[in-house]
């Protein structure tokens, strides 16, 4: 006797802008974006994510944050090294991101020694290093102070014409500030798209 969480779930999302996924705890928000990210296989049906008929370069922020046993800089450079980016480009990219997000000066601190809020903030910055054109964010500011939250929101609003952003939040005010469209999920069903 199989239990299905999502049945006949179907949604077409706009190609540009910010799609916010809202819903109560346990409604399937995080599960949905983990399926979108390809971390969980759907048992049936298909998930097709294309931006301008191409597979997008995805930046994904999970609620379960893990860092390598290295400093802040090395944690940011690692995803770029894997993709074979040039050393000078890696340095420039990371320095400009740290500067933009007011995190310069913390490069040599062990990422695992950061506060919970700073870990989440750094984790958000890490999603951007490979210049994704699709950002999938699971509660990116749940542990952040107002200042850091504002900086992230400002960045997302500025970048939404260059990338697609899909974001889970339980903060209605944040949803109103950011959303171009809202998916409301309840018990595994999409209730409305507005």
């Amino acid at each position: 006797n199989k239990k299905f969480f999502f049945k006949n779930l179907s949604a077409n999302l706009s190609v540009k802008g910010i799609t916010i996924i809202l819903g109560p705890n346990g409604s399937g928000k995080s599960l949905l974006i983990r399926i979108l990210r390809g971390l969980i296989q759907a048992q049936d049906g298909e998930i097709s994510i294309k931006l301008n008929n191409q597979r997008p370069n995805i930046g994904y922020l999970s609620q379960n944050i893990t860092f390598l046993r290295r400093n802040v800089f090395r944690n940011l450079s690692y995803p770029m090294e894997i993709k074979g980016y040039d050393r000078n480009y890696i340095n420039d990219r990371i320095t400009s991101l740290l500067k933009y997000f007011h995190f310069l000066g913390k490069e040599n601190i062990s990422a695992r020694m950061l506060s919970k809020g700073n870990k989440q903030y750094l984790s958000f910055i890490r999603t951007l290093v490979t210049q994704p054109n699709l950002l999938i964010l699971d509660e990116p500011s749940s542990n952040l102070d107002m200042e850091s939250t504002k900086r992230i929101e400002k960045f997302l609003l500025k970048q939404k014409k260059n990338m697609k952003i899909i974001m889970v939040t339980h903060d209605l005010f944040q949803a109103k500030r950011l959303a171009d469209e809202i998916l409301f999920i309840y018990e595994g069903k999409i209730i409305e798209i507005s």
Side-chain angles (χ1 to χ4, degrees):
N1 188 359
K2 284 185 180 168
K3 291 263 302 220
F4 290 100
F5 195 85
F6 294 122
K7 273 191 180 161
N8 305 329
L9 184 72
S10 173
N12 282 323
L13 307 181
S14 62
V15 178
K16 283 269 191 305
I18 301 175
T19 299
I20 297 283
I21 301 174
L22 273 176
N25 282 346
S27 59
K29 302 184 300 291
S30 294
L31 182 61
L32 177 61
I33 64 169
R34 285 169 70 192
I35 291 171
L36 280 177
R37 178 62 190 98
L39 298 175
I40 296 177
Q41 293 297 307
Q43 279 180 310
D44 202 4
E46 63 175 281
I47 289 185
S48 140
I49 300 180
K50 290 220 162 78
L51 283 178
N52 307 324
N53 282 326
Q54 292 181 331
R55 284 183 69 85
N57 173 17
I58 298 175
Y60 172 68
L61 175 66
S62 158
Q63 282 187 34
N64 308 322
I65 295 164
T66 48
F67 289 114
L68 304 166
R69 271 185 234 260
R70 295 178 184 162
N71 64 21
V72 164
F73 186 90
R74 297 283 294 138
N75 268 280
L76 292 176
S77 67
Y78 185 66
M80 300 181 78
E81 287 164 15
I82 291 174
K83 291 200 169 188
Y85 285 102
D86 169 74
R87 166 84 32 218
N88 290 336
Y89 176 73
I90 290 175
N91 289 340
D92 292 349
R93 175 88 182 135
I94 290 173
T95 303
S96 76
L97 281 169
L98 289 173
K99 198 169 169 185
Y100 183 92
F101 287 104
H102 297 241
F103 218 71
L104 267 180
K106 294 189 169 70
E107 297 88 322
N108 297 318
I109 298 172
S110 160
R112 293 181 173 188
M113 300 304 284
L114 295 169
S115 69
K116 196 173 180 182
N118 273 338
K119 278 182 182 161
Q120 188 175 30
Y121 196 55
L122 178 63
S123 194
F124 175 78
I125 297 170
R126 184 173 59 183
T127 63
L128 305 174
V129 292
T130 58
Q131 295 197 302
N133 56 357
L134 170 60
L135 272 187
I136 300 179
L137 309 171
D138 196 352
E139 303 267 11
S141 54
S142 54
N143 298 307
L144 298 186
D145 58 21
M146 212 46 226
E147 194 62 32
S148 307
T149 299
K150 272 190 186 143
R151 219 168 273 135
I152 284 179
E153 288 185 4
K154 189 176 151 194
F155 175 83
L156 294 175
L157 287 168
K158 195 172 147 198
Q159 291 299 321
K160 70 179 188 173
K161 55 187 179 297
N162 306 321
M163 58 170 69
K164 174 68 192 164
I165 298 155
I166 300 172
M167 176 173 149
V168 166
T169 181
H170 62 271
D171 180 340
L172 254 128
F173 296 107
Q174 185 174 55
K176 283 204 163 81
R177 287 193 298 270
L178 296 178
D180 293 302
E181 66 180 349
I182 292 179
L183 297 189
F184 188 79
I185 292 191
Y186 184 69
E187 292 183 350
K189 293 186 179 67
I190 293 178
I191 305 294
E192 65 176 281
I193 298 184
S194 55

